[in-house]
Amino acid sequence: MSDTTTSTVIAAAAHDATKVYGHGDTQVVALNGVSVDFARGQYTAIMGPSGSGKSTLMHCLAGLDRLTSGQVFVAGVDLSSLDEKALTQLRRDQIGFVFQAFNLIPTLSAIENITLPMDLGGREPDQQWVDQVVTTVGLADRLSHRPSELSGGQQQRVAVARALASRPQIIFADEPTGNLDSRTGNEILTFMRAAVDELRQTIVMVTHDPNAASYADRVIFLADGHIVDEMPNPTAASVLDKMKQLGD
Amino acid sequence: MLRVALRGILSRRWRLLTTGIAILLGVAFISGTDVLSDVLTRGANGLIDAAYRGIDVQVRSSAATENEFSSQPVRPEVDASLLDTIRATKGVAVAEGQIQAQATMLDKKGKPLPTVGPPTFLFNWIDNPDLVGGTVTSGRAPNGPDEAALDFKTAEEFGFRVGDHLTMQLPKGPATFTIVGLGGIGKKGDQSAGARSVLVDTARAQQLLGIEGKFSSIVVKAAPGVTQDQLAKRIGQILPDKVEAITGEALIKETQASIAQILGVITDLVAAFGWLAVFVALFVIYNTFSILIAQRTREMALLRAVGASRGQILGSVILEATVVGLVAAVLGVAVGFVLAAGLQNILASFIPLAKEPARLTTSAIVTSLIVGVVATVASALGPAIRATRIPPVAAISETAVEPQEVSLRRKVFGALLVVGGVAAVLLAVQKTLEPVLTWVGAGAAMLFLSVLVIGPTFAGRVTAWLGAPLRLLDRTTGRIAQQNAVRNPKRTTATAAALTIGVGVVAVIAVVAASFKGTFTDVFQNQIRADYVVDSGGQFGTGMPPEVLAAVQQVPGVADASSLRLFGGIVLNSKKAAEQRALPRSELPPALRDSTAPVGEPVLTAGIEPKPFTTVFDLGRVTPGLSAVRDDGVMIEKKLAADNGWKIGDRVEFYFAQQHLQGGDGRIELPIVATYDKSFAIGGDTPLYFMTQATFAKLQPPQLNVDQTIYFNTAAGASGKTVARAVTKAIEPISPVASVVPIGKYFNDRLAPINGFLNLVYGLLALAVVVALVGIWNTLLLSIYERTREIGLLRAIGMERRKVRRAVRMEAAVIALFGTVMGIALGVALSLAFVNGFADQGIKLHLPTTQLVVIAVGGAFAGVLAALWPAFKASRTNMLEAIATT
Ligand SMILES: Nc1ncnc2c1ncn2[C@@H]1O[C@H](COP(=O)(O)OP(=O)(O)OP(=O)(O)O)[C@@H](O)[C@H]1O
Ligand SMILES: [Mg+2]
């Protein structure tokens, strides 16, 4: 599926990441000492049963939430050392997001949504790059439309384009195809694959779908806040097997 | 269903709170003024009662006439010889002559007491505790021509003590007294009359006022066993006509009624601002309920799907509104009560009325509850009906928001409101529709409502335009803010429209006031040719004795010195006089209803020396010429003559109470000997009749034979300052109250009280603006609640908290600016109509441009202020909650 050259540059990493919600009786350990690296130019899928801590891990990696203990690095920066403002700027400049839904600001047009992180940072978007991204996503004729005038698949493509446009260190996607039919979903996944292959992006994607995971370079399996397994070069069949194996 | 409704109210209580505040503020004002008016009236009544309690019968002239410049009617004096006749009447225990006249008094530094505030009166001391109505509490009663007693409140305020000297300016010159006693009203002398009172020896008072042999009235105490009615009847039989005997009871009632009327005018004015705030609150409540219902579309649809009827949905919303209105009204009554008590304390330091405790009146409670509930339910009715139209399928549809397109029906309705409003205002200012103020108000209300109705059609464009500068300030945040402001035109318009009302009224007042002030200044500057004015420094009806003018004329370097005397009179054969006579007596002020003076039009008479006066005061062309203005004739403005269809040579029929008193019926006919064509700015729209000072002296009471103002120029080559100083020195001994002021300062001094009043009005208007700001605050909070997801997303992809806050503030600024600009536009349009309505009085439009810009900018900033808390809330949005899928 992809070339096996593993870059030695680490885009993001977690060291002994632990996240505990609540206290006493209601305490939930969502992450329990997770350590993982994400190499630059690698496409990683995170899988695991519901409640296993996938979203929690991603939120902490992306600087949306803070760990209870342990460390998270993005582009070599320890996120726990950053204050709220610096963290926000890091998210804006170094991290891209694609969520399952509600990815776009309804009052802004597609292109405005795409360049929003750069506009917020007062950076001039790299016009050539933006054009390339837009062409790759196939949205050139929809740029002035509002999100409400776009289909669900188109909206997700705009979200992916936004994540790519600012050339972040790493892109996090939480079930980006969860709300889409399989054909549209495949379009998005192909596109993300292309971003890694052609644009040298780093992507971390949470998914429940073995088919989606098969687009990645490797799959990490989470259960009860632990990494329980890892699989390089997954296929839909091998992932399904592994899931059955872990599921019992 | 009831349970669902009540649960809903509980769960939304914080969002409903702000709605409640809007109505609470208005209700508090209305109930507060009611409580205040009650306590002030009781206070005034108590005082009047204390002052007149001991009088059984008062004998006075029955020829009371209205006076433009005083709240009380004027009555001529009665003959002192009546006193002996009355004393000889059976049933009279004591009778004394009473003298009361308005005067000017100096403080310890020799400056006249401020003209704004309680009036100063000179009384004669009557050595009878019942009849004088008060007691000396420290020192002793005045005795002999050089002693005086002073009311304790004035003494306290200006630092006078027993043994100090006190100087007054009186028609026959200044007089200095030694203060021998301080006192007050009532048995204990511890109440203040709300006027400054100086009491002196009777003969001295008569001499200083120039009314030897006369009394203002005669007060009588009955012998034991004789009732007031019996005594009044008995005395009445022996009195000449034009003199009447009135019982003490009736005197108290009459005085109380006229005070109540004055207090009523004041409290009605204050309450009017409360009603305005309620009107603004209607918009805020309407908007809040619209938003709340839009946000609950799914919930309502679900209720409908599981079988709730339309009626039940309607009922639940109405119930919610009723509860909110009721709670707000109850709290409003409480706040209003506290407000009234506070105001009473503040007022007490200005006009010491009486120490009555504030009391919650039934009318305050009833009005508040009705206003609170009715206003809230009425404005929630529209949104409630919309709620019933939510189809059950809305429960499953993805997005169900307020419909944004403006329907044709709405546009037509809006257009009708505009046409109706404009027509009402225009017809009212042309006096086709009466009462003018009611119709102007109704028209303005329709116009404000039309903003709410058709505003959404242009809200998008206007806010885009107004928000443009914000995008220059911060491109992305500015755009997000501006887009948020236009995304829901109906909501934006309703929020802004509330502010439009307050700002609109502020703009009307600003423009109308500027036009009046501007016209006044223009006219003065065009007409007055004098460099200096000698100002009598006193209130109306007081002034400088004629020797002052003579002294001014003697000063070297003075040229063209000339004086003006003014006093009221009644004209009987003008058009307005006929209108006045057509009114039923019951519409007249209480004290005038039984007057034996004929009813006519109150006018001003001005005494001048025609030649010198017109050199310092340009009256335009005088036809046929100044030399025609002779004794026993009047000169009037051309327009006044035209309005009444008079020509030169026609006779004006006057009534002068003074003449009435001196025998005859008081009716005097004076021919019009000349007309002038530049309208004279003193006295507003009260018609002015010029006559020679000799004629004025003959017709008006002797104590009014004083100069109100003296104008003079400095001769060529003389230094203004030196001459002014010399004049000051020359008049000092004869009129210590008078001051020499340069003409520019004189204008400004005239405008100062107007500015003070305007500031008060602006202060009261702030209430309506605050209610609108509460609306902005509320709308933003609700909108932010709606946009939780979006704000969370913005935060996730890198918008700093600072910028989130800025975006909300900018959104508020755009909305507020939209409201303010519409307010100014409407306000200016309305004031155009107003000013046009006054065109026949020569009022010309003056636009206070700077002030209007300040209002606009201030409005935007106030919006930002209202956005501070919502902005903070927005910046604290929980990102993870916001991006959660469920
Ligand atoms: N805010 C929170 N407070 C308390 N517990 C939480 C919170 N968020 C998550 N959890 C708990 O932490 C655990 C991990 O949750 P997380 O959302 O990371 O799971 P997930 O793997 O993303 O599941 P899913 O596949 O359903 O999205 C769960 O047991 C969840 O109940
Ligand atoms: Mg999850």
Side-chain angles (χ1 to χ4, degrees):
Chain A
M1 191 87 211
S2 78
D3 59 359
T4 46
T5 26
T6 346
S7 169
T8 44
V9 184
I10 303 299
H15 290 335
D16 206 13
T18 301
K19 177 75 183 180
V20 181
Y21 288 113
H23 311 274
D25 286 350
T26 59
Q27 180 168 309
V28 178
V29 181
L31 292 179
N32 196 351
V34 173
S35 294
V36 62
D37 287 349
F38 301 95
R40 178 165 297 169
Q42 200 181 34
Y43 190 168
T44 307
I46 301 177
M47 299 199 74
S50 192
S52 57
K54 305 182 296 292
S55 294
T56 306
L57 176 62
M58 226 195 67
H59 292 157
C60 291
L61 280 167
L64 291 169
D65 203 355
R66 290 188 188 267
L67 290 172
T68 311
S69 70
Q71 285 165 304
V72 165
F73 295 89
V74 171
V77 180
D78 180 356
L79 297 196
S80 63
S81 71
L82 299 180
D83 65 7
E84 166 58 37
K85 194 174 162 193
L87 198 61
T88 305
Q89 282 164 2
L90 179 114
R91 282 202 306 271
R92 188 176 72 204
D93 301 335
Q94 310 283 6
I95 297 172
F97 290 100
V98 183
F99 302 109
Q100 185 175 342
F102 309 111
N103 262 302
L104 306 177
I105 302 299
T107 51
L108 301 181
S109 67
I111 185 67
E112 285 170 340
N113 265 291
I114 291 171
T115 57
L116 188 55
M118 284 162 287
D119 289 342
L120 284 173
R123 279 194 284 150
E124 264 315 304
D126 176 345
Q127 202 49 55
Q128 229 180 327
W129 174 249
V130 172
D131 288 345
Q132 190 184 338
V133 168
V134 166
T135 322
T136 321
V137 199
L139 281 167
D141 56 337
R142 283 277 190 280
L143 289 182
S144 58
H145 288 228
R146 293 279 171 99
S148 58
E149 296 157 354
L150 299 174
S151 73
Q154 286 167 334
Q155 289 182 24
Q156 282 309 77
R157 281 199 262 165
V158 173
V160 175
R162 180 190 63 210
L164 285 168
S166 60
R167 286 209 238 238
Q169 278 286 325
I170 187 163
I171 293 174
F172 293 101
D174 197 348
E175 303 187 41
T177 57
N179 273 0
L180 303 176
D181 64 74
S182 62
R183 219 192 80 203
T184 321
N186 282 335
E187 264 174 44
I188 298 289
L189 292 163
T190 311
F191 177 64
M192 298 211 320
R193 182 69 246 172
V196 172
D197 293 341
E198 290 154 31
L199 310 175
R200 303 286 303 148
Q201 260 301 341
T202 312
I203 296 181
V204 176
M205 172 181 76
V206 169
T207 183
H208 282 284
D209 174 8
N211 171 52
S214 72
Y215 283 77
D217 295 323
R218 65 162 176 170
V219 181
I220 288 168
F221 291 95
L222 272 185
D224 296 333
H226 294 279
I227 295 185
V228 290
D229 208 342
E230 198 181 315
M231 175 190 284
N233 301 324
T235 62
S238 67
V239 172
L240 198 57
D241 274 351
K242 179 62 81 186
M243 282 171 74
K244 277 185 185 144
Q245 195 183 316
L246 293 171
D248 61 321
Chain B
M1 196 62 203
L2 186 68
R3 204 177 56 222
V4 174
L6 291 175
R7 282 267 169 76
I9 296 171
L10 268 184
S11 69
R12 282 185 294 279
R13 60 187 178 279
W14 295 114
R15 272 178 273 163
L16 290 170
L17 177 85
T18 42
T19 322
I21 290 177
I23 198 77
L24 185 153
L25 288 175
V27 166
F29 230 66
I30 293 172
S31 78
T33 44
D34 199 292
V35 171
L36 187 67
S37 138
D38 168 70
V39 69
L40 292 185
T41 310
R42 273 186 294 130
N45 287 350
L47 264 181
I48 293 162
D49 199 69
Y52 292 159
R53 175 95 306 187
I55 298 173
D56 287 322
V57 171
Q58 189 197 44
V59 176
R60 64 184 189 189
S61 159
S62 60
T65 49
E66 198 176 342
N67 186 337
E68 276 291 298
F69 287 82
S70 138
S71 53
Q72 298 287 334
V74 271
R75 290 173 196 274
E77 286 75 29
V78 297
D79 219 73
S81 61
L82 273 178
L83 188 56
D84 289 334
T85 329
I86 292 167
R87 278 180 176 154
T89 309
K90 220 180 101 207
V92 170
V94 192
E96 294 288 350
Q98 198 181 41
I99 291 164
Q100 173 180 3
Q102 211 162 347
T104 312
M105 167 183 165
L106 299 184
D107 67 11
K108 289 182 86 175
K109 288 196 209 98
K111 277 211 173 139
L113 302 194
T115 43
V116 196
T120 307
F121 285 103
L122 179 77
F123 292 99
N124 62 326
W125 172 259
I126 298 174
D127 208 9
N128 181 304
D130 287 331
L131 294 179
V132 80
T135 317
V136 168
T137 47
S138 69
R140 57 175 176 80
N143 191 3
D146 298 318
E147 295 184 353
L150 178 66
D151 77 280
F152 73 92
K153 191 83 194 175
T154 307
E156 245 169 51
E157 221 175 306
F158 294 91
F160 283 108
R161 274 192 233 146
V162 172
D164 285 349
H165 292 291
L166 178 153
T167 303
M168 296 189 91
Q169 177 73 48
L170 292 156
K172 291 291 161 182
T176 300
F177 305 97
T178 308
I179 301 174
V180 295
L182 301 178
I185 284 190
K187 282 233 149 50
K188 287 191 234 130
D190 60 349
Q191 280 172 282
S192 168
R196 313 195 183 286
S197 316
V198 180
L199 297 98
V200 303
D201 171 71
T202 305
R204 186 77 201 281
Q206 287 169 324
Q207 179 241 317
L208 287 168
L209 293 168
I211 51 164
E212 286 93 343
K214 297 204 167 108
F215 293 123
S216 305
S217 62
I218 292 168
V219 284
V220 184
K221 182 124 197 69
V226 182
T227 67
Q228 290 191 349
D229 282 330
Q230 289 169 336
L231 191 60
K233 210 169 268 160
R234 237 180 264 167
I235 295 174
Q237 277 160 2
I238 55 148
L239 289 176
D241 64 333
K242 295 166 277 180
V243 179
E244 64 184 4
I246 168 177
T247 65
E249 207 60 53
L251 177 65
I252 289 174
K253 280 231 179 71
E254 181 190 286
T255 318
Q256 287 177 342
S258 53
I259 296 287
Q261 210 177 33
I262 299 164
L263 285 176
V265 171
I266 298 170
T267 47
D268 282 356
L269 179 78
V270 177
F273 291 94
W275 287 102
L276 185 70
V278 168
F279 184 57
V280 175
L282 293 182
F283 284 58
V284 172
I285 296 164
Y286 166 82
N287 199 25
T288 311
F289 272 89
S290 297
I291 301 173
L292 287 178
I293 282 162
Q295 287 177 352
R296 281 157 59 206
T297 302
R298 283 210 184 170
E299 181 191 323
M300 300 239 178
L302 190 64
L303 283 172
R304 292 274 285 126
V306 300
S309 71
R310 288 198 165 173
Q312 281 171 316
I313 297 278
L314 186 72
S316 77
V317 178
I318 298 290
L319 178 71
E320 188 162 330
T322 310
V323 171
V324 171
L326 209 58
V327 171
V330 169
L331 291 177
V333 172
V335 172
F337 183 75
V338 175
L339 209 75
L343 264 179
Q344 189 206 3
N345 279 332
I346 295 171
L347 283 178
S349 53
F350 292 105
I351 22 170
L353 284 169
K355 296 162 202 133
E356 290 284 337
R359 198 170 58 186
L360 207 50
T361 55
T362 325
S363 62
I365 297 172
V366 172
T367 322
S368 300
L369 291 186
I370 292 177
V371 169
V373 174
V374 170
T376 317
V377 170
S379 40
L381 203 61
I385 291 171
R386 226 173 302 142
T388 64
R389 305 233 175 92
I390 296 174
V393 288
I396 40 167
S397 70
E398 184 56 34
T399 44
V401 284
E402 297 158 79
Q404 286 317 324
E405 68 288 350
V406 180
S407 65
L408 182 67
R409 241 179 48 202
R410 187 167 174 153
K411 283 182 193 156
V412 170
F413 178 53
L416 285 179
L417 280 175
V418 173
V419 172
V422 169
V425 170
L426 287 182
L427 290 177
V429 294
Q430 270 149 25
K431 309 208 168 72
T432 314
L433 283 175
E434 306 245 21
V436 173
L437 273 184
T438 312
W439 279 104
V440 167
M446 279 198 252
L447 289 175
F448 285 129
L449 210 60
S450 76
V451 167
L452 180 72
V453 176
I454 49 169
T457 55
F458 54 79
R461 257 166 297 153
V462 177
T463 48
W465 181 68
L466 292 172
L470 295 180
R471 289 203 301 269
L472 291 180
L473 221 67
D474 179 336
R475 199 156 54 98
T476 315
T477 318
R479 183 166 44 203
I480 290 174
Q482 187 230 311
Q483 296 278 25
N484 280 339
V486 301
R487 73 200 282 176
N488 203 325
K490 284 184 187 166
R491 187 183 298 183
T492 299
T493 307
T495 313
L499 194 57
T500 300
I501 301 168
V503 171
V505 178
V506 169
V508 168
I509 290 173
V511 175
V512 171
S515 299
F516 270 83
K517 283 199 283 189
T519 307
F520 176 79
T521 314
D522 284 354
V523 168
F524 259 86
Q525 273 164 356
N526 285 335
Q527 285 191 303
I528 300 195
R529 300 281 161 79
D531 303 330
Y532 285 93
V533 169
V534 183
D535 186 2
S536 62
Q539 283 147 325
F540 190 77
T542 66
M544 301 169 278
E547 295 82 48
V548 177
L549 177 62
V552 174
Q553 282 163 336
Q554 298 290 307
V555 175
V558 168
D560 315 324
S562 182
S563 71
L564 174 71
R565 339 189 137 164
L566 286 172
F567 198 64
I570 301 285
V571 166
L572 300 174
N573 63 339
S574 66
K575 282 216 172 105
K576 287 238 176 74
E579 282 168 25
Q580 198 74 15
R581 265 193 300 275
L583 286 179
R585 282 240 156 186
S586 60
E587 286 200 13
L588 294 174
L592 282 183
R593 282 174 206 156
D594 301 322
S595 171
T596 52
V599 176
E601 178 189 14
V603 300
L604 274 177
T605 57
I608 55 166
E609 288 314 326
K611 281 241 163 64
F613 183 77
T614 44
T615 24
V616 292
F617 217 114
D618 180 14
L619 291 178
R621 205 150 49 94
V622 175
T623 327
L626 265 185
S627 48
V629 187
R630 50 170 170 83
D631 289 348
D632 299 323
V634 290
M635 171 170 74
I636 60 174
E637 195 187 336
K638 220 171 168 176
K639 193 168 160 299
L640 179 63
D643 286 350
N644 285 294
W646 290 331
K647 304 180 302 294
I648 290 179
D650 283 352
R651 292 174 162 267
V652 182
E653 194 186 352
F654 288 92
Y655 169 79
F656 289 108
Q658 189 65 22
Q659 298 306 305
H660 195 173
L661 189 74
Q662 285 163 356
D665 56 4
R667 290 167 193 255
I668 307 268
E669 284 190 5
L670 296 175
I672 299 167
V673 290
T675 60
Y676 60 94
D677 61 5
K678 261 194 185 176
S679 75
F680 187 78
I682 291 174
D685 61 342
T686 312
L688 201 58
Y689 292 79
F690 282 102
M691 51 185 72
T692 61
Q693 289 184 340
T695 310
F696 187 90
K698 199 165 78 186
L699 298 174
Q700 296 288 16
Q703 67 270 38
L704 285 163
N705 227 325
V706 288
D707 290 330
Q708 192 88 21
T709 326
I710 296 170
Y711 303 90
F712 69 88
N713 271 315
T714 44
S719 141
K721 278 204 178 127
T722 320
V723 174
R725 222 170 299 137
V727 170
T728 310
K729 221 155 139 215
I731 61 173
E732 175 87 60
I734 9 176
S735 183
V737 293
S739 54
V740 179
V741 268
I743 195 75
K745 185 176 178 307
Y746 182 71
F747 291 145
N748 289 340
D749 290 353
R750 296 301 96 160
L751 292 178
I754 306 178
N755 291 336
F757 176 73
L758 280 178
N759 287 340
L760 176 77
V761 169
Y762 289 139
L764 292 170
L765 272 174
L767 180 75
V769 174
V770 166
V771 172
L773 293 180
V774 167
I776 293 184
W777 173 46
N778 194 22
T779 308
L780 285 175
L781 275 181
L782 293 171
S783 298
I784 283 161
Y785 169 80
E786 255 175 26
R787 293 184 213 144
T788 304
R789 227 177 242 295
E790 208 175 304
I791 295 166
L793 178 68
L794 281 170
R795 291 272 300 119
I797 64 167
M799 192 176 208
E800 290 120 325
R801 288 199 168 134
R802 196 165 53 86
K803 288 198 177 170
V804 172
R805 285 196 293 268
R806 186 184 296 164
V808 176
R809 287 198 305 263
M810 282 179 164
E811 179 182 350
V814 171
I815 296 176
L817 201 58
F818 179 43
T820 314
V821 167
M822 286 194 295
I824 290 177
L826 260 184
V828 169
L830 281 173
S831 41
L832 281 180
F834 257 119
V835 173
N836 198 33
F838 287 110
D840 57 343
Q841 287 171 34
I843 303 299
K844 294 207 177 64
L845 182 73
H846 286 66
L847 272 186
T849 326
T850 331
Q851 211 181 342
L852 293 176
V853 171
V854 168
I855 294 171
V857 175
F861 271 103
V864 170
L865 221 60
L868 287 183
W869 172 249
F872 176 77
K873 285 283 274 192
S875 76
R876 294 283 139 173
T877 301
N878 184 333
M879 274 184 283
L880 296 176
E881 232 169 71
I883 59 177
T885 329
T886 48

